[in-house]
Structure formats: structure tokens, C-alpha cells
Amino acid sequence: MAGIVICGTILAVCGIGRYASKKNSSDDESDVMEGENKQLPKGFYVTQKTAIFLSLLFIIIVVGVALLFYFVPRQEQQQPCEEVVPVCEPQLPAVPVEPTETPREPFEERLPETLYPEHYEIYLTMYLDEEDDDKRFTFEGRERIRLRCEESTDIIKMNSRFLNVDVDSEDAIEIQELSSGDSVEVSRAYLDDVHELFVIELAVGMEAGNIYEVRINNFGAPMGDAADDQWGMYYQSYDIGGETRWICNTKFTPNYAREVFPSYDEPHFRSTFDLVIAHRSKRWAMSNMPITHNVTLDDDWIETHFNTTPNMVTYLLVMVLADFPSVETTTKYGYPFRVWAREDRLYAANYSLYTGSEMLTYFEELIDVPYGLPKMDMVAIPDYAAGATEFWGCILYRESRLLYDEDVNTPYNQQSVAAIIAHELAHMWFGNYLTCDWWSEIWLNEGFASFYEFPAVDHVHPDWKMDHQFSNLDLESAFRVDAASSSAAPLVRPVSGWRDEITGVFDTTSYSGGSSRYRSLRAFLGADVIHAGIVSYVKNNLYSPVVSDQLWEELTLADAAHGGTNVKKVMDTWSLQHGHPVVTVNRTTSSMAVVTQQHFLSDPNDAVTDKWPNLGYTWYVPMTYTFESDLTFDDPLKHFQWLNKEVTGELDLSMASASDWVVVNLNQVGFYRVNYDDENWNRLAEQLKTDHDVIPAQTRTALMDDCFKISQAFYTDTVNCLRLSEYLDLETEYPTWELMIDNLPFLYRALMRTAEFGQFEFYWRQQITPLYDSLGWDMREGDTLEYRLRQEAINTACGYGNEDCVKQASDLFSEWMDTGINPTPSEVKSTVYCTAIKHGGTEEWIFAHEESLTNIAERSNLRSALGCSKDAWQLERYIEEYFTDSQEVYGVINSVREKSATGFAVAWHYVMNNFEKLRSSIGEESAYSVVWDFYPWMNTDYDLQQLLSFGAQREDMPSASASGFHNCKLEVETNIAWMSRNRDSVRGWLDEVTSQQTSTNHGGRWRNRN
């Protein structure tokens, strides 16, 4: 009843039902209907039924509220929830189960050691000319192999690949025991293509201790075409004066001799070789050894006979047929030294001639072992896939890696030529005199040659600071592959006989990783010990296969009277397991610091796999160190301690002041990263700002590169690294700047879409400006270091908006637009094009776009630059144009998303809105890969939700793509975590340093902070 009263009151107040309250009969409604022309009172009207309904509804609401207050307890009476109501999560693609890798069939056909080849006599005929008819671009031959029987056997196995070997003709294969002259009957001979074997089964066995000669009287094969097959023996042409000329050469490294003659084509087999080549007389023939004589066969054919080679492995044998001229000199110790090139390029051979002859003498004196062959030829092959190959006495080079013309080539080309010559000449000792016993030890060849590039080039060009450049050229690449489980491998690793495993060990680990570890070894043993040990290692193993343990043994003996180091014990931890540590130095008292080591992985989500054996991922770490009050950079072993394969150790700082900064791993000679406590990072930053030259350039480089790399993996805060960089407006060393700039893209991506990005750009613009101003744009000025530093300065200054750099780049681009002649230096074309488009307008973009369609030489740079536009409509148009082009879409999307926040947004939204179109045009797996490749720029919760939403809509994606999705999700979550840890401190630091900038003072802006 109360509810009715209340309801009536409310209705009355609202003016509802005023008319209804006057009617009391059932015909009231009809009266109203009939009275259309009557004047009704003003107000709102409802029928009686409606009023009753509303009253009942109100009663229900009031009762419900009363019940709610009655039954729900007050806050102080509430009990903790026992259950959490689940939130509905989007259904994401299932995490795919990693497929179980099917074990590979073991390779069980390594050559048996029952027979050992002592000597080959090889006769080859090569056909290169039209007159050769069907035989053109083929070769044929015969050979004799002298074998020493180590164990009695009735089967002969040697290597053969792609060879046509006559096994059916009478006397196709003949075998004779040399002391008695008795023949050995062949019961069967055949080729095993799977294992690349030529097998001879005997009716009567060969007896241990006897010497046999095997004659294979007819074999041959087509030559490879240099356009697609540069292994074994291959042919090519070059043009000169409108004439096409044909040449051929061999390339047997690592195991392609078997494509030219049946052989014991494994590195532990060493033999001598006598070689005869039959060829047309319009070309000369060349091999490892000097020519003994030529025999005329007819008016057009000759046989070239070569001297017997030293005892060597099959892959070092080389053959060349060409018509090049040469330049010649004689080395200090009397060796003829020649460089060969086609006649229109021979003028560019003089630098190589001088450099090579000087370096050959350098190595003879360094190792105290003569070169050993009667001559040295270096040949520039027009089309040679490898940079160069160390054939003993006759090194083959790609033309661009041997010839240097100072009027055409850059200073860096000059350094590149010098380095590769040094590398190949080092192989004459490390690889030729001494060869790895098996491919698992290839670092003994390639790591040593890679290391000795640096002192050899330094011998010829001491002003190039090669020791400092080691960090950029070898160490950094070794660190990079070694810090990711997907690419890391032990220095000495298991290798079967399968071809892909053998070729796979010629990688960064063997080259740069080997040289970096040897450099570390050399540093902690000392120059005198390492020299004595290496000389002994070479002299005691001449003409022999070697393994790492032989090297460790010689070095242990050399150090016995010095440090007494058990080199094998130490180096096993660096050679038998992959990876390297980050050593954290945490100063706990004034006289001591706690040091810990941890396996360093550059991606926090990475984890080691069981692909390779390991020793627990701890190392014997050689710690050279110094501190502010006793600088020992010039005497790094004065303060030296081992971290003895334990996780934790102590560093003795009893001689240091409590306020001293500490530096570990002087000049970064040890193969490990270093981290410090925040206070030490701050002290080092202050030292750099006060007087950066107190810390040598190599160590400055290491400090900053270590800090930025480990900060990306959450070992330290990024602001520690940025504080180190505050002195850089005074830095002039190329290696330091190059590695600093190498670290900037990570920060650029992280901050690109944040409010502080403008301050970030401003800071680096100010830091690079003094260097940019000092170097200018003349790419022909200065040596290789200045040349490369100028490139870095221009690229960075323009990239971060230096006003003069932008103007210079825009002017060059405008000149190209106006005249049709491109004046841009080749070294900075990508930067100039990007800068002109970024700071230009529609006219520049359209010119670049049209030019990219017709100008093949500039297409790559221009297409990358088109993504630099600030205009979203241009970027979307650009993506749309190539969106269904499977060859171009990846590059186009990347060029757009990496340049700016606008570009990222345009690229992401276009791909999201058109994914089905993308999937149908380039394939499902490729389309998903395009999406996953956005992850380096994605670092916000919004980004993650966008990714999750995309995945939820396609929960049935293929397993491989689902794996990519979850990896992408993990990386985005890591990016978010990095931002959560670092963004606030980076923002605060940027506020501080940029607020102190003055428009008139480039120097000293950050150094006077308190």
C-alpha cells in the first residue's frame, strides 16, 4: 500500500496520470477517443493500466534494494574471497610441440687408414675452345697413386664426386706391388655417390708394410660454369677489346679435389704431387710449383710439366689456365713474387705486389721458418666466389680483393686488400705447413690466419691502428654469434663426413671466434711465451696434421718457466664449449670486489640447447685489471688474477683507493663481457668526462660496447651506459664511434614512439656534431680510419637531424633532380637519399620513386629511402604498390616501419587490415613472418594486445607460424620489461642532459654536471 502511495505521488509530481485520475468508468477511454476535438488539459498522460504497471515495477525495485541492503554484509563483515572469478581470455594459437628431430644417419664412410697415399702423378687435358667440339668445357685425365699399406686389406676406398671413372674397360684400373712388380687383380670397382667414394675391391689382399701403385687410366667430367658452380674445376670468360677470352681454374677447398681426380680428399692425408696439364698453347698453365718444361704436342697443343710439390693435402693443389700478364718483384730472401691480372687491370696490381712481398718476409721472420716453396704467384680471377684461397705457392683471389687503384678505390678497399693478402700468406704456415687433422679443428687454420692479419697489416701500415680495429672487425662478430644459442658453436666441435657439416664449420666461430680466443691466450701468456710456443709448435709439426692439444702442449712447455699455466686446462673451457661469460665486478669493501661469471646470452629469453657438449658453462677467466690510482694499461699483467672456473671469486683491490674506479679486461683482450656495480659505472663516466684519454681508446670502446650489450640483456641499467657516452663529443677514434653507433638502433627502436624521442635525437645530434664538423664531406681525404669515421659521422649526423648535414644531403639530391647527374658519393648514398626524402616533400618522393623503377644501380638504396617519408599517405601508397610482390614486400615494409613512428603505425595497420590479401599473395608462412618481424619495435601493452588480438583471430594458424607467434609474443613481453626497467631513468637522464645544452657551445655541455 505504501508503494502505491509513493508511486502515485511520483506520478503526480511528473504530471503523469492527471487525466486518468478524473475518470472512474470503463468507457473513459472511448470518451477520449470520441472526443478528438475536445480541448484536453496540458500535461503528460498514460492509461490506467500503464500507471499500474509502472507502480508495480517501482515496488519491485524498492523491494530489491531493501533486500540488497539486508543480505549484503557491511564492509567490516566481509570475508576474503575464496575464489577468483576467471576472466575470459582470448583463445590464442596453441603452443606447438617442438618436433622431435630425427637423428641423422651417421656418416660411417670416413676413409680407412689401412692405406696412406704418398705420391700422385696426375695428367689432365683441358678443353676450353670451340674447336674442341663436344669436349668443350670438359676435362679428362689419368693418374698414378703410390700407396703405403698400413694394415692388410682387400679393399681400396678413395673419394670421388661427379667424376666419370672408367671401371669397365680392360686395364682401366691397374695395381702393382712395387718391390716385387707383382700385379694385384681387381675383382670389382664402383662409385658410391652417397658417400662420395670410389671403391676398388681386390681378388687378393694388400699386405701391411708393402708399397703399391694404383693406376686409374681414364676419368673425366664437365667443368663447372662460373655462373653457378665454382667448385672443383670451372670455366669463365672475360672481355677485352671486344674479344671474349676463356679461362679455367680449380677451387678444391675444402674437399672438392675429388671432383677432378680420385683422391684421398681428407685433411689428415698428405702427399706429394707431380702434375702435367695438356692445353692449347694460346694460354699458360700454372700450379703450385714452377714449370720444369713444356712439351709441344702439335701446332696448337702443349704439355706443361710442373715440379714436385711439398708434402701437402689435396685441397691445396691448384690449376689455372689463362693468358694474363704479370708484375714481378723479388722478396728479401730471394723468392720470385708475381701478381697476375687481365691486361686491362694489371695497372692496379702494384699495391698487392709490394704489400704481399713485404708480408711474406714478415711471416718468415716472425715464425722463424722459411716460406719453403720456390716462388709465389697471386692471381686475380675475374669471377671467384671466395674472397681468396691459400693454395700453396699460387694464391687465387677474387679480382676486387687483390687489385687496388687509389684513383678509383676507397681507402677501406685498400685495407681490405691488405688484410686478405695477410690472411692468405699466414696460411702458408697455419694451414699449409700445418693442417688441421680433421675439419672439427679448422680453427687452427682459419683462426690463426684471421688473427695474424692484424700484425701483418700493422707491419706495413702502422698508422692504421690494427690492434684497435680488432674489436670492430673480429671480436664483435665473434661475440655476436657466440651470445645466441641459435648460432653459437664450440671452437672444436664434432663434424661428420657429410658435406654440409664440413662446409658449415667455415663460419664466424672458426674465423673470428678462433682469432679472438687466440688473442686472449696470447694476452695472458705474454708476447715472449706465445712467440716461443708458436715457433716450437710450427717447427715440431711441419708437413703434419695437427690438433688443438698439440698447440696447448707446446704453449704449456713455453710457459713452464714463467707463469706455469696449464694451457689445456684453461683453453678446454674456451674451445670445447660454446659461449662466453659476462663477469660482474661488485666492489663490496675498499680492498676487495666480488666477481661472478655467468653465461652471457644477448636475448634474456634465450636458453642453451643440448646440441653441443659443454663443461658447465663456466670458464677459466683471465682477469687483467687496473684502478685509478695505479694505471697499468701499458703493463696489463701487473694486476692479474684467474677466475678459476668457479661462479664466484674475489678481486684483490688492496692497493686501490676506496674512491678509485676499477677496470677489468684491459683493452678487451679477454673474450668476455664485463659488468660493474652502479657506483663504478658512475665513476668511469665521470673519468671519461674529466679526461677521457686517461683510459686508452681500446678500453673506452670496450666499456661502452660491453655496457650497452649487457644492458639489452638486463644485466645493468641503460642509463649507466648513456652516462658513459656523455664525453663522446670529444671522441675522435673510429673504432670507438663505430661500435657506439652500432648500439644506437636498439635505443632508437625502443624510444621511437615515446615522448622523449625528440630529446634522444637532440642529444645524439649534439654529440656527433663536433666530429661531423671536423671531417666534412670529402670522401677522398685521409686514410682508412678517417674515411670510415667520416662515413659514420655523416650517416649519424644526417640521421639525427644535423642542420648542415640535412642541407648538404638535400642539395646533392636536388642537383640530381635538376641535372640528371647524381653527384652523391657512393659511400653515403643511402643516407643522402633518406635525408632528402625525410626533409623534402612530394617532389623528392616522386622523383625517387620513378627513379627506382628504371635505375637498377640505385634501386636498392632508393627503395629503402622511400620509407623515410614523414607523410603517411605516401608510405601507405608505397606499401600498397608492393604489397603482393613476394620479392619486394619484406624490404618495403621494413623500410617503412624502421624509420619513424609514423612509418611503424602505417605499416602495422596496413598489414593488419590487409592480412588476408597478403596471405593469399605471398603464402601463409611468409605472411605470418611479416607480422612477427614487427616485434623489435613493439614495447607497449597496447602493442602486446594488438598482437594477442591478431593471434586470437587466427588460432588455427599452422604450427610453424604458431611457434613464430609465441616467440614474437615473448620478445614483445621482453621489450615491455626493458621499457619498464629503463624508460623512467632514461627520461630523467635526458631531461637533465638536454636542459644544459647551449646553442653556442658544442663542447663541455655534459661534463660540468654535479
Side-chain angles (χ1 to χ4, degrees):
M1 193 67 188
I4 296 174
V5 173
I6 295 172
C7 182
T9 303
I10 293 175
L11 293 175
V13 170
C14 294
I16 298 175
R18 269 183 282 171
Y19 177 70
S21 63
K22 296 178 183 179
K23 298 295 181 180
N24 297 312
S25 64
S26 61
D27 59 348
D28 288 346
E29 184 175 344
S30 61
D31 290 341
V32 172
M33 297 300 294
E34 290 173 0
E36 291 180 353
N37 295 323
K38 293 182 180 179
Q39 185 65 37
L40 297 177
K42 294 181 179 180
F44 298 94
Y45 299 89
V46 296
T47 63
Q48 186 178 28
K49 290 181 179 179
T50 302
I52 294 170
F53 171 77
L54 291 173
S55 299
L56 290 173
L57 179 61
F58 183 81
I59 293 169
I60 291 170
I61 292 171
V62 170
V63 172
V65 171
L67 291 173
L68 185 65
F69 275 99
Y70 181 83
F71 286 106
V72 176
R74 287 184 291 274
Q75 185 172 358
E76 60 270 20
Q77 296 175 319
Q78 291 184 25
Q79 300 297 318
C81 293
E82 297 295 330
E83 295 182 30
V84 177
V85 178
V87 178
C88 183
E89 293 283 352
Q91 185 66 39
L92 299 176
V95 179
V97 177
E98 291 294 329
T100 303
E101 187 173 342
T102 303
R104 189 173 194 178
E105 177 186 350
F107 189 93
E108 297 177 345
E109 289 295 346
R110 288 275 302 275
L111 295 181
E113 296 185 0
T114 53
L115 298 167
Y116 195 96
E118 294 185 336
H119 181 71
Y120 293 78
E121 294 178 14
I122 302 170
Y123 187 102
L124 292 174
T125 304
M126 303 179 188
Y127 302 98
L128 282 175
D129 300 291
E130 291 183 9
E131 302 94 308
D132 298 323
D133 300 325
D134 292 344
K135 289 188 175 182
R136 191 181 190 190
F137 304 135
T138 68
F139 65 90
E140 57 189 23
R142 60 181 185 269
E143 69 177 339
R144 298 183 178 201
I145 310 174
R146 187 170 71 238
L147 299 174
R148 182 177 70 248
C149 186
E150 300 285 351
E151 297 178 26
S152 298
T153 182
D154 59 1
I155 191 169
I156 301 172
K157 291 184 178 181
M158 61 185 78
N159 296 115
S160 176
R161 184 176 190 243
F162 301 154
L163 277 173
N164 301 313
V165 182
D166 181 3
V167 297
D168 298 321
S169 301
E170 186 178 356
D171 299 330
I173 301 170
E174 300 174 278
I175 302 175
Q176 185 180 40
E177 198 280 314
L178 292 182
S179 63
S180 65
D182 293 340
S183 295
V184 179
E185 183 181 351
V186 175
S187 62
R188 185 168 77 114
Y190 61 93
L191 295 168
D192 175 353
D193 293 334
V194 173
H195 299 100
E196 301 178 5
L197 294 176
F198 177 50
V199 182
I200 304 171
E201 296 178 353
L202 307 176
V204 179
M206 305 168 81
E207 296 182 4
N210 289 348
I211 304 297
Y212 296 84
E213 183 178 82
V214 177
R215 293 187 286 273
I216 303 172
N217 292 320
N218 186 10
F219 58 83
M223 297 180 185
D225 183 342
D228 54 24
D229 180 9
Q230 296 191 16
W231 309 103
M233 183 182 296
Y234 69 94
Y235 68 89
Q236 62 187 283
S237 66
Y238 71 96
D239 293 328
I240 186 165
E243 177 188 1
T244 299
R245 299 183 182 181
W246 295 91
I247 64 171
C248 71
N249 61 273
T250 55
K251 204 283 188 182
F252 290 165
T253 311
N255 57 350
Y256 293 91
R258 64 190 68 182
E259 294 189 5
V260 176
F261 58 98
S263 55
Y264 287 77
D265 199 18
E266 293 182 354
H268 54 282
F269 290 113
R270 298 178 71 98
S271 311
T272 54
F273 295 82
D274 280 330
L275 176 66
V276 178
I277 298 177
H279 58 95
R280 293 189 183 273
S281 57
K282 62 184 175 181
R283 302 178 188 89
W284 46 251
M286 186 183 296
S287 188
N288 308 77
M289 298 298 288
I291 296 170
T292 59
H293 63 284
N294 288 316
V295 176
T296 302
L297 300 179
D298 57 34
D299 291 341
D300 199 27
W301 283 83
I302 60 173
E303 288 177 351
T304 299
H305 295 246
F306 297 93
N307 234 327
T308 304
T309 71
N311 196 31
M312 66 185 197
V313 296
T314 49
Y315 75 73
L316 291 177
L317 189 65
V318 65
M319 308 166 202
V320 183
L321 280 188
D323 56 359
F324 302 156
S326 66
V327 291
E328 182 174 352
T329 190
T330 302
T331 71
K332 178 179 177 179
Y333 296 110
Y335 298 103
F337 198 108
R338 293 180 291 260
V339 178
W340 302 77
R342 46 183 169 163
E343 61 187 84
D344 60 344
R345 298 299 312 278
L346 188 64
Y347 69 91
N350 290 316
Y351 175 73
S352 299
L353 183 70
Y354 164 76
T355 301
S357 61
E358 288 291 309
M359 289 179 176
L360 189 65
T361 299
Y362 166 79
F363 281 118
E364 287 189 287
E365 295 177 345
L366 175 72
I367 304 170
D368 194 30
V369 174
Y371 161 57
L373 268 68
K375 56 92 176 178
M376 171 57 77
D377 291 302
M378 301 198 305
V379 187
I381 303 296
D383 196 351
Y384 194 70
T389 310
E390 66 272 19
F391 305 117
W392 213 348
C394 180
I395 304 173
L396 304 190
Y397 294 81
R398 189 188 312 160
E399 212 171 49
S400 63
R401 302 302 302 274
L402 182 63
L403 304 181
Y404 169 70
D405 177 6
E406 64 180 2
D407 294 328
V408 176
N409 301 122
T410 69
Y412 185 61
N413 292 140
Q414 183 183 18
Q415 181 178 319
S416 176
V417 167
I420 200 166
I421 291 173
H423 183 102
E424 303 310 324
L425 291 176
H427 271 311
M428 301 302 109
W429 289 264
F430 305 106
N432 297 5
Y433 265 132
L434 284 67
T435 308
C436 62
D437 181 74
W438 182 242
W439 305 114
S440 56
E441 303 268 2
I442 191 62
W443 86 273
L444 293 171
N445 294 22
E446 300 302 345
F448 269 74
S450 297
F451 174 81
Y452 280 108
E453 288 177 26
F454 292 87
V457 174
D458 185 70
H459 173 73
V460 180
H461 295 285
D463 53 322
W464 287 358
K465 303 178 182 177
M466 293 303 297
D467 191 43
H468 192 182
Q469 290 197 59
F470 188 94
S471 298
N472 308 64
L473 298 175
D474 265 31
L475 182 62
E476 188 62 24
S477 56
F479 272 148
R480 186 175 294 113
V481 301
D482 211 45
S485 62
S486 60
S487 56
L491 199 59
V492 178
R493 69 196 94 164
V495 179
S496 77
W498 296 117
R499 176 163 296 277
D500 61 328
E501 288 190 34
I502 292 171
T503 57
V505 298
F506 288 81
D507 60 7
T508 302
T509 295
S510 296
Y511 285 74
S512 299
S515 64
S516 298
R517 288 167 174 86
Y518 176 63
R519 178 172 176 255
S520 177
L521 171 66
R522 187 171 181 267
F524 71 72
L525 288 180
D528 292 340
V529 170
I530 205 78
H531 180 262
I534 291 301
V535 169
S536 180
Y537 166 69
V538 173
K539 288 183 175 181
N540 290 339
N541 294 287
L542 291 173
Y543 306 108
S544 300
V546 288
V547 296
S548 297
D549 280 354
Q550 290 168 273
L551 174 63
W552 309 149
E553 181 180 358
E554 295 290 354
L555 293 173
T556 298
L557 289 173
D559 195 45
H562 299 272
T565 308
N566 183 334
V567 176
K568 174 176 169 54
K569 183 179 180 181
V570 171
M571 292 307 295
D572 276 356
T573 66
W574 295 97
S575 60
L576 300 183
Q577 64 182 351
H578 69 273
H580 59 273
V582 53
V583 172
T584 297
V585 181
N586 187 14
R587 194 165 184 179
T588 52
T589 70
S590 61
S591 61
M592 189 266 287
V594 173
V595 289
T596 58
Q597 63 168 299
Q598 186 176 351
H599 182 194
F600 178 68
L601 294 169
S602 56
D603 185 344
N605 298 312
D606 203 353
V608 296
T609 68
D610 58 2
K611 179 179 180 180
W612 305 112
N614 69 82
L615 301 176
Y617 297 111
T618 56
W619 292 261
Y620 285 96
V621 182
M623 295 187 297
T624 55
Y625 65 101
T626 191
F627 37 85
E628 188 173 0
S629 57
D630 186 19
L631 302 178
T632 58
F633 293 104
D634 294 330
D635 184 16
L637 294 178
K638 179 179 178 181
H639 300 301
F640 178 85
Q641 286 183 220
W642 285 102
L643 183 54
N644 289 325
K645 207 178 180 298
E646 288 100 19
V647 172
T648 303
E650 294 181 354
L651 197 66
D652 179 13
L653 298 176
S654 57
M655 297 175 63
S657 165
S659 61
D660 280 356
W661 48 257
V662 179
V663 171
V664 174
N665 196 15
L666 306 188
N667 299 325
Q668 206 175 25
V669 292
F671 190 61
Y672 56 94
R673 301 284 190 185
V674 184
N675 183 26
Y676 302 98
D677 57 73
D678 289 346
E679 180 59 32
N680 199 64
W681 281 124
N682 286 331
R683 290 175 181 177
L684 289 167
E686 290 301 319
Q687 176 62 69
L688 291 174
K689 288 184 290 182
T690 302
D691 183 359
H692 65 280
D693 287 325
V694 166
I695 300 176
Q698 284 178 272
T699 304
R700 298 198 301 268
T701 304
L703 286 172
M704 283 199 294
D705 191 51
D706 279 354
C707 190
F708 279 103
K709 291 299 192 303
I710 65 176
S711 73
Q712 294 170 23
F714 296 81
Y715 286 92
T716 192
D717 293 334
T718 300
V719 72
N720 287 330
C721 317
L722 290 168
R723 289 193 184 107
L724 289 178
S725 75
E726 292 178 23
Y727 89 98
L728 277 173
D729 56 340
L730 299 178
E731 182 61 80
T732 59
E733 292 287 342
Y734 163 72
T736 308
W737 264 113
E738 198 272 340
L739 282 181
M740 180 63 251
I741 291 168
D742 183 60
N743 283 295
L744 286 181
F746 179 88
L747 293 172
Y748 190 99
R749 291 191 298 267
L751 301 177
M752 187 174 75
R753 296 182 295 142
T754 66
E756 49 272 24
F757 183 66
Q759 291 172 295
F760 175 75
E761 281 192 306
F762 174 82
Y763 172 74
W764 286 107
R765 182 163 64 245
Q766 299 301 88
Q767 294 299 79
I768 196 65
T769 290
L771 184 69
Y772 168 79
D773 289 343
S774 70
L775 292 171
W777 281 70
D778 187 353
M779 303 305 298
R780 307 302 307 167
E781 185 179 321
D783 63 12
T784 181
L785 291 174
E786 184 175 325
Y787 167 80
R788 291 155 74 193
L789 188 58
R790 181 176 292 108
Q791 281 183 270
E792 297 287 1
I794 291 172
N795 293 339
T796 307
C798 283
Y800 285 91
N802 175 278
E803 186 176 347
D804 181 76
C805 195
V806 171
K807 182 180 185 304
Q808 294 280 355
S810 300
D811 288 348
L812 287 169
F813 199 78
S814 294
E815 184 177 340
W816 185 16
M817 293 173 64
D818 294 340
T819 66
I821 299 173
N822 189 350
T824 309
S826 60
E827 298 86 351
V828 292
K829 282 184 174 180
S830 60
T831 292
V832 167
Y833 300 166
C834 179
T835 303
I837 290 171
K838 179 179 179 180
H839 296 273
T842 303
E843 187 178 358
E844 284 80 6
W845 196 90
I846 291 175
F847 172 83
H849 179 264
E850 292 178 351
E851 197 70 21
S852 73
L853 299 176
T854 58
N855 191 333
I856 296 175
E858 299 299 332
R859 179 172 294 166
S860 177
N861 284 330
L862 286 169
R863 286 191 173 170
S864 176
L866 287 169
C868 298
S869 173
K870 292 180 178 179
D871 293 330
W873 70 267
Q874 289 176 341
L875 298 175
E876 183 160 339
R877 170 187 165 185
Y878 184 37
I879 293 175
E880 183 177 10
E881 181 178 359
Y882 291 99
F883 198 61
T884 59
D885 186 333
S886 61
Q887 300 299 314
E888 300 292 342
V889 65
Y890 300 100
V892 169
I893 289 175
N894 191 58
S895 71
V896 170
R897 72 182 163 204
E898 71 176 357
K899 302 296 195 320
S900 66
T902 299
F904 176 89
V906 168
W908 175 259
H909 289 297
Y910 195 89
V911 170
M912 291 297 98
N913 293 333
N914 297 276
F915 181 76
E916 295 306 320
K917 182 180 179 182
L918 182 68
R919 184 163 64 172
S920 64
S921 61
I922 69 171
E924 189 163 47
E925 187 172 343
S926 297
Y928 280 115
S929 294
V930 168
V931 177
W932 312 152
D933 286 345
F934 276 85
Y935 85 82
W937 293 267
M938 301 175 73
N939 55 16
T940 67
D941 291 332
Y942 176 77
D943 292 333
L944 181 60
Q945 292 307 313
Q946 290 275 294
L947 179 66
L948 296 178
S949 175
F950 175 84
Q953 295 172 42
R954 296 163 180 84
E955 60 176 295
D956 59 346
M957 67 179 68
S959 177
S961 298
S963 179
F965 167 79
H966 287 283
N967 288 337
C968 180
K969 173 177 173 288
L970 193 61
E971 294 296 342
V972 173
E973 289 169 341
T974 302
N975 292 345
I976 293 171
W978 186 93
M979 292 291 283
S980 177
R981 171 171 177 158
N982 290 286
R983 184 178 177 185
D984 287 346
S985 59
V986 170
R987 181 195 295 121
W989 173 81
L990 284 169
D991 286 343
E992 185 177 2
V993 294
T994 57
S995 67
Q996 297 178 34
Q997 185 269 343
T998 64
S999 61
T1000 58
N1001 179 22
H1002 291 309
R1005 290 185 308 279
W1006 327 122
R1007 292 187 295 282
N1008 297 321
R1009 290 195 296 117
N1010 294 318

